[in-house]
Amino acid sequence: MFFGGDYNPEQWPEQSWPDDVARMREAGVNLVTVGVFSWALLEPAEGRYEFGWLDRILDLLADGGIGVDLATATASPPPWLSVAYPDSLPVDADGHRLWPGSRQAYCPSSPRYRTASVRLARTLAERYGGHRALRMWHVGNEYGCHVPRCYCDVSAEAFRTWLRERYDLAALNETWGTRFWSQEYTSFDQVLPPRRTPAFSNPTQVLDFARFSSAELLDCYRGERDVLRELTPDVPVTTNFMAGMHWEMDYWAWAAEVDLVSNDHYIRVHDPHGHVNLAFSADVTRGLAGGEPWLLMEHSTSAVNWQPRNVPKTPGQMRRNSLTHVARGSEGALFFQWRASKAGAEKYHSALLPHAGTDSRIWREVVELGSDLGKLAEVTGSVVSSTVAIVLSWESVWAQERPSQPSADMTATDELAAWHAALWRLGITVDFVAPGADISGYRVVMLPSLYLLSGVDRDVLARYVESGGTLVVGAYSGVVDERDHIVLDGYPGALREVLGVRMEEFVPLLDGQTITLSDGSAGRVWREFGRVTTAEVIAAYADGEDAWSRWLAGHPAITRNTRGDGTAWYVSTRLDPPSLERLLGRITGEAGVAGSGVPLELVRRSHADGRTYLFAINHDEEGAVPLDVAGVDLLTGADFPGEVPPGGVVVIKVVTP
């Protein structure tokens, strides 16, 4: 199990480095990321490199038995590059240039930036490709976190090139629906990025620009990765995603390009269920890894610096957070960062070694966590399996979460998290899959919010149901095709036949308004008016106070359709959490998927040879929870005593009868 985090030795006097390495060894650190934001020091002037300090720290780490995830340092260009090539700086949708002084101040389409970044990556690989500390390469950092899209003239020309590779002019006009609002193009030279306009921008233009922007950043990554693979073919290459937190990159496309999927996640302190969002992020990341192990590249030991109120983690919370990621497939726990900075924008961000030093609560918990991870070596390589999947599409999120929708409250990301949270409360582990993926091995497949769906992907879902699967579809799904064009002749469009319903109108709820269903469930945000064609009505809309509630009374709200050997459910409103949990519990139960039945977070990891490990996490800091499982707790080395202590974690090597 990897343990460690970002190490920025250049921020500290060199005489302190040996003490850093000694403290790392004391804590059990075995991997650090070096050089993420070091471009200005490594290349202080164009083409002039200074590697002495990096040589010395890498040697020191290697002598201490600590591996290095060596960054290419290209996440933040140095001031000299921005001054010499101002056209490499990004521009926002209003036409304002974003200046250096923080990080990520580059245009992804800039040839100047790309040339300089690849040159630096090549120079690093030539110098350190055979270094004894090198374990993997770390390209960039949190791509698109601050500048997911650039609207400058360089990007505009790159966008036109990208479009020419996919469309002729007639196809572009048809796909973008340019006859609306007199937008028809007679030359590609007339096409611009969707900069600020007087009213709503063309939705398909916006969608294609989001696709282009994710692809441009991915090309930046590929440029550096290809050089690293050329010179160091045996060293894995990765970059850190922000799955479950950041929605501007199509991580399905990115996951195919890394040797190891890695992810960053940070708890939001205002969310009382932050640990559930953590599980959501970890499960999404495991899906990106194709079910294989992945790596938590960053999280925090305690407080961060960027939230409105940066409350520290409670005692024991860091351990629970870290081991939850491991339970859900991570091969360790890394942090930002090793030592808390004394200057700069992130000086109040917590670290493994805090401002208070080793005589501190955080340090004692860090040492404990290092010991815990050291005891879990045999878990590495094991995988998490599930019989329930959620279909996730970044392109659908982009299309749905644009202006000019029926309701601004119909966000896809909130509903994805809500359905995952309901399953989490039921004690059901979930995989995330891409549209069109092989879903034949799952008992239940869910589409909480899949607004955009291609005909090919629709056919995969139809065959799944006909072959005996259980499909559960949330409201406002299947409405548009991959061009963001409405699928005509009734909603939910592409899924109308498999669901056996035909909806005619969307009827959004006003802010704070709720509805009641005939089975006692409560709905919010959304409702639909229509009828069943082949489905049966499980719950109808009940009468209410406003005119639409009275009109909808008796019309289908939740339906179930038998098709072939399988079943397809449709939920035409957004249920409140208790109602959603009750419904999904019923559906999964009927499909033969059992929840845990205990108030613990339970996740199993297994090896191909049958060795199984049960992670049991108790988020209740007040009371112990009994658990009827036999085996050895790897964290204590003793037989599991039959209960998980308050706020505690156990990792049971399960004894199978």
Side-chain angles (χ1 to χ4, degrees), residues 489-506:
D489 200 27
Y491 312 121
L495 299 169
R496 190 176 57 246
E497 290 186 8
V498 72
L499 294 173
V501 299
R502 186 177 185 275
M503 298 298 176
E504 298 178 24
E505 292 182 83
F506 300 137

Side-chain angles (χ1 to χ4, degrees), residues 490-562:
Y491 312 121
L495 299 169
R496 190 176 57 246
E497 290 186 8
V498 72
L499 294 173
V501 299
R502 186 177 185 275
M503 298 298 176
E504 298 178 24
E505 292 182 83
F506 300 137
V507 190
L509 289 159
L510 300 178
D511 187 30
Q513 188 178 7
T514 60
I515 53 169
T516 302
L517 308 187
S518 60
D519 66 351
S521 298
R524 54 195 171 83
V525 177
W526 188 260
R527 55 198 168 177
E528 297 175 7
F529 164 64
R531 59 184 173 83
V532 296
T533 53
T534 58
E536 61 175 315
V537 178
I538 301 301
Y541 291 107
D543 198 357
E545 296 180 356
D546 69 312
W548 259 112
S549 294
R550 292 190 292 273
W551 176 255
L552 282 172
H555 286 84
I558 301 173
T559 62
R560 178 175 59 195
N561 190 44
T562 299

Side-chain angles (χ1 to χ4, degrees), residues 77 112 145 209 620:
R112 301 287 194 181
C145 176
F209 192 68
D620 181 356

Side-chain angles (χ1 to χ4, degrees), residues 280-365:
F280 173 68
S281 174
D283 287 345
V284 171
T285 307
R286 189 179 67 255
L288 294 168
E292 294 299 313
W294 52 278
L295 182 60
L296 175 64
M297 188 65 74
E298 283 185 31
H299 70 315
S300 68
T301 58
S302 191
V304 296
N305 68 290
W306 45 267
Q307 298 184 49
R309 295 164 186 82
N310 292 296
V311 181
K313 291 184 177 180
T314 57
Q317 186 181 357
M318 176 190 69
R319 181 175 187 257
R320 289 195 303 278
N321 291 167
S322 301
L323 294 178
T324 299
H325 284 290
V326 173
R328 295 179 181 271
S330 178
E331 296 285 70
L334 305 183
F335 295 81
F336 182 83
Q337 57 180 324
W338 161 249
R339 180 184 281 205
S341 299
K342 64 180 180 180
E346 295 184 291
K347 61 181 176 290
Y348 291 115
H349 195 295
S350 60
L352 291 147
L353 184 59
H355 292 144
T358 56
D359 184 13
S360 63
R361 173 187 69 88
I362 288 178
W363 176 254
R364 288 186 285 273
E365 291 192 16

Side-chain angles (χ1 to χ4, degrees), residues 267 269 271-275 301 311-321 324 361 365 424 599-601 617-625 644-649:
I267 292 283
V269 297
D271 181 2
H273 307 294
H275 55 284
T301 58
V311 181
K313 291 184 177 180
T314 57
Q317 186 181 357
M318 176 190 69
R319 181 175 187 257
R320 289 195 303 278
N321 291 167
T324 299
R361 173 187 69 88
E365 291 192 16
W424 184 93
L600 294 168
E601 183 172 356
I617 302 140
N618 184 1
H619 296 284
D620 181 356
E621 298 186 27
E622 302 297 327
V625 178
V644 184
V649 181

Side-chain angles (χ1 to χ4, degrees), residues 145-371:
C145 176
H146 304 295
V147 187
R149 294 162 195 165
C150 176
Y151 298 81
C152 73
D153 290 340
V154 174
S155 295
E157 185 54 44
F159 184 40
R160 288 188 282 268
T161 299
W162 186 89
L163 292 170
R164 288 187 185 99
E165 293 171 354
R166 287 157 180 80
Y167 307 108
D168 60 29
L169 203 57
L172 176 73
N173 281 308
E174 168 62 23
T175 300
W176 284 14
T178 55
R179 293 195 175 185
F180 188 83
W181 278 358
S182 185
Q183 296 175 18
E184 193 157 6
Y185 297 101
T186 57
S187 167
F188 273 102
D189 293 337
Q190 299 162 4
V191 178
L192 293 170
R195 295 166 175 162
R196 192 74 63 202
T197 58
F200 301 122
S201 295
N202 182 310
T204 312
Q205 178 187 13
V206 172
L207 176 59
D208 265 348
F209 192 68
R211 290 165 169 153
F212 157 79
S213 298
S214 178
E216 285 293 274
L217 283 163
L218 182 54
D219 278 347
C220 289
Y221 165 80
R222 284 196 195 102
E224 297 182 43
R225 181 212 55 194
D226 290 350
V227 164
L228 300 174
R229 282 185 175 173
E230 171 196 341
L231 297 175
T232 59
D234 297 327
V235 181
V237 184
T238 191
T239 188
N240 44 340
F241 300 164
M242 300 182 71
M245 293 182 65
H246 179 62
W247 295 93
E248 303 294 349
M249 303 292 102
D250 182 356
Y251 283 137
W252 290 122
W254 283 73
E257 303 288 348
V258 298
D259 297 321
L260 171 69
V261 169
S262 66
N263 196 52
D264 297 353
H265 181 266
Y266 290 94
I267 292 283
R268 298 183 186 275
V269 297
H270 62 270
D271 181 2
H273 307 294
H275 55 284
V276 183
N277 178 265
L278 185 157
F280 173 68
S281 174
D283 287 345
V284 171
T285 307
R286 189 179 67 255
L288 294 168
E292 294 299 313
W294 52 278
L295 182 60
L296 175 64
M297 188 65 74
E298 283 185 31
H299 70 315
S300 68
T301 58
S302 191
V304 296
N305 68 290
W306 45 267
Q307 298 184 49
R309 295 164 186 82
N310 292 296
V311 181
K313 291 184 177 180
T314 57
Q317 186 181 357
M318 176 190 69
R319 181 175 187 257
R320 289 195 303 278
N321 291 167
S322 301
L323 294 178
T324 299
H325 284 290
V326 173
R328 295 179 181 271
S330 178
E331 296 285 70
L334 305 183
F335 295 81
F336 182 83
Q337 57 180 324
W338 161 249
R339 180 184 281 205
S341 299
K342 64 180 180 180
E346 295 184 291
K347 61 181 176 290
Y348 291 115
H349 195 295
S350 60
L352 291 147
L353 184 59
H355 292 144
T358 56
D359 184 13
S360 63
R361 173 187 69 88
I362 288 178
W363 176 254
R364 288 186 285 273
E365 291 192 16
V366 163
V367 173
E368 179 188 18
L369 178 60
S371 175

